[in-house]
Amino acid sequence: MMLLLWLTILGCAINNAAAQSGNVRCEAKSSKESGLCIPIRECPYFFDILNGGQPTPAQRQQLADSQCGVVNERQALVERILICCPDSKRSIQGTPARSAEAQTEAGNVLPSSNGSCGWVFADRIYGGTATKLDEFPWMALLQYKKPNNKFGFHCGGALINSRYVLTAGHCLANSQVSQLGWQLNSVRLGEWNTSTAPDCVTELGSGKRTCAPAHLDIEVEQRIIHELYVADSRDRLHDIALLRLKRTVSYTDYVHPICLPLANDMRNRDYEGYAMDIAGWGVTENGTPSSVKLTTTVDVWELERCQQKYRAYPINLNSSQMCAGGNGKMDTCQGDSGGPLMLRTHEGMQEIYFAVGVTSFGPNPCGQQDWPGVYTRVGYFINWIQQKLQP
Ligand SMILES: *[C@@H]1O[C@H](CO)[C@@H](O)[C@H](O)[C@H]1NC(C)=O
Ligand SMILES: *[C@@H]1O[C@H](CO)[C@@H](O)[C@H](O)[C@H]1NC(C)=O
């Protein structure tokens, strides 16, 4: 903790502006090695030194010399440090080479976190709250067909293997949706800006233009809602569902599954006090406020405190649910209903994302101070998920 504080304070003194401008080239003070100024978590070389506990004086010096700024909007201290990650160290070491067309598994197999799910790219940069083109490649949009033959996105989800998308029960069983005559039609994968096709970005510095392949719209073969989910219930217990796609998807840099918390310790953890990422287009039953995929960080609440807040309504939450967000920065508005609450963690040198929650409900309007969003706790439903998957 001491080291983190010291680094952060130093960072403020050096350069706070770097945080705002995103993709910034930098040079380490003593070694003069050039690199990219990125969050320390995204630079495994330095992150592991920091995480190793007792850096040597030389390592401390190297960390100090390489710090290039600080991001203030990230909450956990370690999230705020920007480091000049040398080009020579930015390739992923000690992990199997990752190819875009990674092998897909059968529909009844969940990828393991040392395999092909939850990958984060080494070059990923945050620019404000809009995501990079290839960030969170498991994010799915559920497309509904309306009686006037128009289509709309009204829920989100997460790709969990080559054939299934995890979403919320209320996205499929909901009287508001069925009274309006909306029919779930397909799942969109590989989307970034819903107003453009294809999606392209131009790098700030070099002017280099990168385009993603066209998004995929895949029809839904089967809708699997948790048997104990009660449509329109106040408490939204068991608010979880799976969608089986009509065909297997191939993985690319833009279409890729997220990991599920399969290990026992991850499954049973309540994650209270953890910082989580949410991402999406902010879609709800009422529309799609953002055309571009957004992301933000939320903190997980103590369940008991959250239960107390909601009890007056009267909404009774239990430990199959979890609460996060509500610090009044419109944070809960940036995820999608049915979309994942994501834990970013480390497996060796590789950063991995896990879907630990499914967005269930929140205060209306969203983003109210002191009112957290409620999520279905995925760990509680791993057995259910595994039972439902078919090859
Ligand atoms: C998304 O696409 C629309 C329409 O082409 C465009 O006006 C908008 O600027 C795009 N958003 C971003 C962040 O690129
Ligand atoms: C939560 O409540 C529901 C409904 O009473 C019950 O089926 C479920 O087992 C409870 N879960 C936990 C973890 O207490």
Side-chain angles (χ1 to χ4, degrees):
M1 198 42 101
M2 278 305 290
L3 180 67
L4 282 179
L5 275 172
W6 165 77
L7 276 168
T8 306
I9 292 160
L10 201 65
C12 291
I14 297 171
N15 178 7
N16 205 342
Q20 264 73 52
S21 48
N23 190 353
V24 176
R25 298 290 308 168
C26 56
E27 191 174 78
K29 244 196 285 167
S30 43
S31 68
K32 300 275 177 237
E33 238 202 297
S34 64
L36 273 185
C37 184
I38 59 177
I40 192 164
R41 267 186 177 283
E42 289 160 29
C43 185
Y45 172 73
F46 280 120
F47 189 68
D48 285 8
I49 292 180
L50 196 63
N51 256 13
Q54 292 292 320
T56 64
Q59 285 174 326
R60 287 177 78 114
Q61 190 58 48
Q62 198 188 2
L63 277 164
D65 279 355
S66 301
Q67 203 185 350
C68 53
V70 61
V71 188
N72 285 320
E73 64 262 38
R74 287 248 149 189
Q75 287 154 1
L77 219 39
V78 70
E79 305 279 354
R80 298 183 189 159
I81 302 164
L82 294 177
I83 204 94
C84 189
C85 195
D87 293 331
S88 60
K89 302 265 169 35
R90 268 190 301 124
S91 59
I92 298 157
Q93 303 152 26
T95 46
R98 180 186 180 290
S99 73
E101 275 92 42
Q103 214 104 63
T104 58
E105 61 297 300
N108 59 341
V109 174
L110 289 168
S112 77
S113 51
N114 56 15
S116 60
C117 62
W119 285 79
V120 173
F121 294 86
D123 272 0
R124 194 176 53 116
I125 311 288
Y126 280 89
T129 55
T131 61
K132 237 194 130 195
L133 204 52
D134 57 4
E135 209 175 352
F136 309 116
W138 40 82
M139 296 300 298
L141 281 165
L142 310 194
Q143 193 163 39
Y144 296 78
K145 190 177 180 191
K146 304 178 182 180
N148 58 4
N149 276 329
K150 285 204 168 137
F151 291 88
F153 298 119
H154 293 285
C155 259
L159 188 70
I160 57 166
N161 70 10
S162 64
R163 202 70 191 258
Y164 286 88
V165 167
L166 179 69
T167 185
H170 76 263
C171 292
L172 308 180
N174 172 331
S175 62
Q176 191 195 331
V177 167
S178 49
Q179 273 161 21
L180 291 167
W182 296 355
Q183 293 286 338
L184 176 66
N185 182 72
S186 55
V187 169
R188 178 166 292 187
L189 296 167
E191 181 57 287
W192 183 65
N193 184 344
T194 55
S195 307
T196 14
D199 287 325
C200 301
V201 286
T202 306
E203 268 174 39
L204 274 180
S206 64
K208 197 178 130 215
R209 196 166 152 84
T210 311
C211 295
H215 59 248
L216 306 173
D217 285 322
I218 304 177
E219 280 179 64
V220 174
E221 183 175 279
Q222 194 190 0
R223 309 149 30 130
I224 308 159
I225 307 168
H226 196 287
E227 296 76 4
L228 297 175
Y229 175 70
V230 179
D232 307 321
S233 68
R234 275 176 180 279
D235 307 338
R236 291 204 178 167
L237 288 162
H238 309 104
D239 189 7
I240 193 164
L242 289 167
L243 298 172
R244 179 175 166 88
L245 306 175
K246 263 216 170 113
R247 62 177 178 85
T248 297
V249 292
S250 306
Y251 297 156
T252 67
D253 284 352
Y254 305 90
V255 176
H256 220 77
I258 190 168
C259 302
L260 294 184
L262 300 177
N264 275 332
D265 63 324
M266 290 196 80
R267 220 188 262 213
N268 298 326
R269 206 170 293 169
D270 55 28
Y271 298 104
E272 286 172 4
Y274 279 63
M276 299 280 172
D277 288 321
I278 53 174
W281 295 261
V283 298
T284 62
E285 291 91 315
N286 302 322
T288 309
S290 167
S291 54
V292 175
K293 200 194 288 180
L294 303 173
T295 180
T296 193
T297 307
V298 290
D299 289 334
V300 178
W301 281 46
E302 272 172 49
L303 182 62
E304 207 173 294
R305 217 178 118 223
C306 184
Q307 285 171 321
Q308 273 169 22
K309 291 234 46 146
Y310 275 98
R311 202 166 284 147
Y313 277 75
I315 294 172
N316 295 301
L317 305 174
N318 79 11
S319 61
S320 66
Q321 293 161 304
M322 56 198 286
C323 301
N327 48 11
K329 289 188 298 185
M330 302 299 282
D331 51 13
T332 50
C333 309
Q334 290 179 10
D336 297 331
S337 209
L341 178 71
M342 302 179 285
L343 171 71
R344 182 153 43 130
T345 167
H346 251 249
E347 198 119 319
M349 297 244 187
Q350 179 60 52
E351 286 203 303
I352 303 280
Y353 270 102
F354 288 88
V356 299
V358 172
T359 309
S360 182
F361 64 95
N364 189 7
C366 62
Q368 288 180 52
Q369 184 73 36
D370 271 346
W371 280 99
V374 178
Y375 298 80
T376 304
R377 192 165 64 79
V378 173
Y380 185 75
F381 293 98
I382 293 293
N383 287 340
W384 180 83
I385 293 169
Q386 283 174 329
Q387 278 165 24
K388 298 295 170 189
L389 301 178
Q390 297 290 322

